[in-house]
């Protein structure tokens, strides 16, 4: 085994050793790990340390423990820890800024995948949303339609992790500054226009349209972030 990083705690070192054990023994998802006392002997630490190490790896999504069966290696959920952090309400303004910018980057960058996974069923869902948007002036409904429209685009990307991330972020971004004019949502490029461009199935054109559509979010980033921060308190 490799020498552990000197900056790691004893528990973190044990976690590293446990992951190395999984790799070296070619364990597959669902395979059982040694009991705590046996793993403690393998790693060369106390059972208490192994118990904490197992607990931490469960939180990270690497392990699952079932009564009368034991602790097994499982397929980690990539965003499990991020979900916990977002739902905690403890994000500071810098962390929220990073997530805010990350979301904008993703929505512009996923254009190629959205077009490549073009399906009429998704287009029909988007058509329904823009019809609803055109027929209402209710601020809360317009906000929910906006979130749902972009959520469907994440679905169209075909990337499950991206969809999972959007599910986590959608509540955080409900607090975007609302941009309305005469009781209607106002954007430089509307959802209906964005949908019409998507139907052309031109990834480069759709990417440019998405950037224009999100212009309000870029222009009002700090205002939106402070709204989010205020409502997280």
């Amino acid at each position: 085994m490799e020498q552990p990083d000197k900056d790691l705690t004893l528990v973190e070192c044990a976690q590293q050793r446990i992951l190395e054990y999984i790799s070296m023994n070619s364990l597959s998802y669902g395979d059982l790990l040694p009991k705590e006392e046996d793993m403690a002997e393998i790693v060369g630490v106390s059972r208490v340390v192994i118990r904490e190490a197992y607990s931490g790896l469960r939180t990270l999504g690497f392990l699952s423990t079932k009564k009368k069966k034991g602790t097994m290696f499982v397929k980690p959920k990539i965003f499990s820890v991020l979900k916990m952090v977002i739902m905690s309400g403890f994000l500071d303004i810098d962390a929220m800024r990073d997530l805010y910018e990350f979301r904008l980057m993703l929505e512009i960058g996923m254009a190629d995948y959205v077009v490549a996974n073009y399906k009429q069923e998704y287009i029909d869902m988007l058509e329904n949303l823009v019809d609803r948007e055109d027929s209402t002036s209710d601020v809360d409904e317009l906000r929910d339609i906006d979130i749902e429209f972009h959520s469907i685009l994440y679905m169209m990307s075909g990337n499950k992790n991206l969809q999972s991330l959007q599910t986590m972020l959608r509540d955080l971004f409900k607090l975007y500054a609302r941009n309305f004019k005469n009781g209607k949502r106002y954007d430089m490029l509307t959802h209906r226009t964005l949908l019409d461009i998507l139907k052309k199935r031109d990834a480069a054109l759709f990417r440019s349209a998405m950037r224009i559509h999100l212009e309000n979010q870029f222009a009002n980033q700090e205002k939106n972030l402070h709204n989010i921060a205020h409502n997280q308190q």
Side-chain angles (χ1 to χ4, degrees), residues 9-10 31 36 47 93 138 151 191-192 199 204 225 227:
T9 66
L10 187 57
D31 286 349
E36 290 178 359
R47 183 176 177 179
I93 192 71
D138 181 87
S151 295
H191 286 142
R192 183 170 292 282
K199 290 177 182 178
L225 283 168
N227 283 347

Side-chain angles (χ1 to χ4, degrees), residues 93-105:
I93 192 71
D94 291 329
M96 287 188 288
R97 180 179 289 104
D98 284 344
L99 286 173
Y100 187 103
E101 293 173 352
F102 184 45
R103 182 254 183 172
L104 296 179
M105 294 174 196

Side-chain angles (χ1 to χ4, degrees), residues 83-92 96 172 229 232-233:
K83 180 178 181 179
M84 187 181 301
V85 172
I86 291 175
M87 294 178 66
S88 72
F90 296 146
L91 292 174
D92 62 18
M96 287 188 288
L172 188 61
Q232 287 283 304
Q233 294 176 355

Side-chain angles (χ1 to χ4, degrees), residues 20-137:
E20 289 174 1
Y21 173 90
I22 291 171
S23 177
M24 292 175 64
N25 288 275
S26 302
L27 297 189
S28 299
Y29 299 139
D31 286 349
L32 291 173
L33 270 70
K35 295 180 179 179
E36 290 178 359
E37 56 267 31
D38 295 329
M39 184 60 81
E41 185 174 342
I42 292 169
V43 175
V45 295
S46 70
R47 183 176 177 179
V48 172
V49 171
I50 291 299
R51 184 178 298 118
E52 290 186 32
Y54 271 12
S55 177
L57 290 172
R58 279 195 296 271
T59 300
L60 292 171
F62 286 104
L63 304 182
S64 176
T65 300
K66 295 185 178 180
K67 289 183 178 180
K68 298 182 180 180
K69 191 167 185 180
T71 298
M72 66 183 68
F73 174 49
V74 295
K75 184 177 182 179
K77 296 179 180 178
I78 295 176
F79 294 115
S80 59
V81 176
L82 179 59
K83 180 178 181 179
M84 187 181 301
V85 172
I86 291 175
M87 294 178 66
S88 72
F90 296 146
L91 292 174
D92 62 18
I93 192 71
D94 291 329
M96 287 188 288
R97 180 179 289 104
D98 284 344
L99 286 173
Y100 187 103
E101 293 173 352
F102 184 45
R103 182 254 183 172
L104 296 179
M105 294 174 196
L106 286 175
E107 294 206 6
I108 295 171
M110 68 184 184
D112 291 85
Y113 297 96
V114 171
V115 172
N117 290 286
Y118 185 102
K119 292 181 181 178
Q120 189 58 46
E121 61 184 284
Y122 292 130
I123 299 302
D124 292 343
M125 293 166 68
L126 294 173
E127 288 273 16
N128 179 263
L129 284 174
V130 296
D131 286 344
R132 284 174 53 201
E133 189 173 47
D134 289 342
S135 64
T136 186
S137 59

Side-chain angles (χ1 to χ4, degrees), residues 49 147 159 176 184 215 217:
V49 171
I147 293 171
N159 187 298
Y176 278 159
K184 293 289 184 179
E215 178 59 33
Q217 302 302 336

Side-chain angles (χ1 to χ4, degrees), residues 30 58-59 94 117 123 139 141 144 162 177 187 209 214 223 232:
R58 279 195 296 271
T59 300
D94 291 329
N117 290 286
I123 299 302
V139 171
E141 185 176 4
D144 291 342
L162 197 59
D187 292 295
L214 294 171
K223 179 181 178 181
Q232 287 283 304

